[in-house]
Amino acid sequence: EAKVPTQLFAFAGYFRTVLYNDVVLSITPFDHTENMSSWFPALIPLERPLVLSEGTKIDFTLSRNVDQGNKVWYEWTAAARNGDHINSTSLHNINGRSYWIGL
C-alpha cells in the first residue's frame, strides 16, 4: 500500500532464509550475509511507471518459466488499485525476450 503519493518505477528483490536455528542466509541490505557472493538482489523494472496516490494497493505477480530445458526466465506484471479504479501494466519480459538464463 502506498503511504504517500508517488510513482512506482520498479521492484527490488531480496531474500532472507533461516536454514536452521541461527544459520541465516540473507541478501537484504539490513543483514547481508558476509562474504556471500553467489546471490544478488534483483531490480525488476516497469516499462512505464504506475502513478500512486496515498492508500493505493499494489499487486505484483512474478512467474518463473522454463522452455524445453534450455532457458529460464521471469515474467511480471503490476497493478495499482484505488477503490474501483485499477491501473495495470502489461506483462513484462514475455518469453524471456529481454532477459533469460541459460541452463
Side-chain angles (χ1 to χ4, degrees):
E1 182 176 312
K3 303 296 182 198
V4 296
T6 191
Q7 293 185 40
L8 178 63
F9 290 87
F11 292 89
Y14 301 96
F15 82 88
R16 181 181 193 278
T17 185
V18 177
L19 299 177
Y20 179 77
N21 289 339
D22 63 346
V23 179
V24 176
L25 292 177
S26 174
I27 62 169
T28 68
F30 312 107
D31 65 350
H32 191 280
T33 301
E34 190 173 332
N35 297 320
M36 188 170 76
S37 60
S38 58
W39 291 91
F40 302 95
L43 178 67
I44 305 168
L46 299 177
E47 184 177 9
R48 286 185 297 281
L50 288 173
V51 178
L52 309 174
S53 57
E54 183 178 348
T56 300
K57 306 284 186 192
I58 304 160
D59 296 322
F60 177 69
T61 303
L62 178 73
S63 63
R64 181 180 185 271
N65 300 280
V66 179
D67 78 343
Q68 301 175 8
N70 296 320
K71 70 179 185 179
V72 174
W73 71 95
Y74 295 89
E75 297 175 351
W76 60 91
T77 187
R81 292 183 295 113
N82 196 345
D84 292 334
H85 179 73
I86 299 175
N87 183 15
S88 297
T89 68
S90 59
L91 184 62
H92 291 71
N93 199 38
I94 298 170
N95 294 320
R97 72 173 175 221
S98 299
Y99 182 77
W100 55 271
I101 304 163
L103 297 176

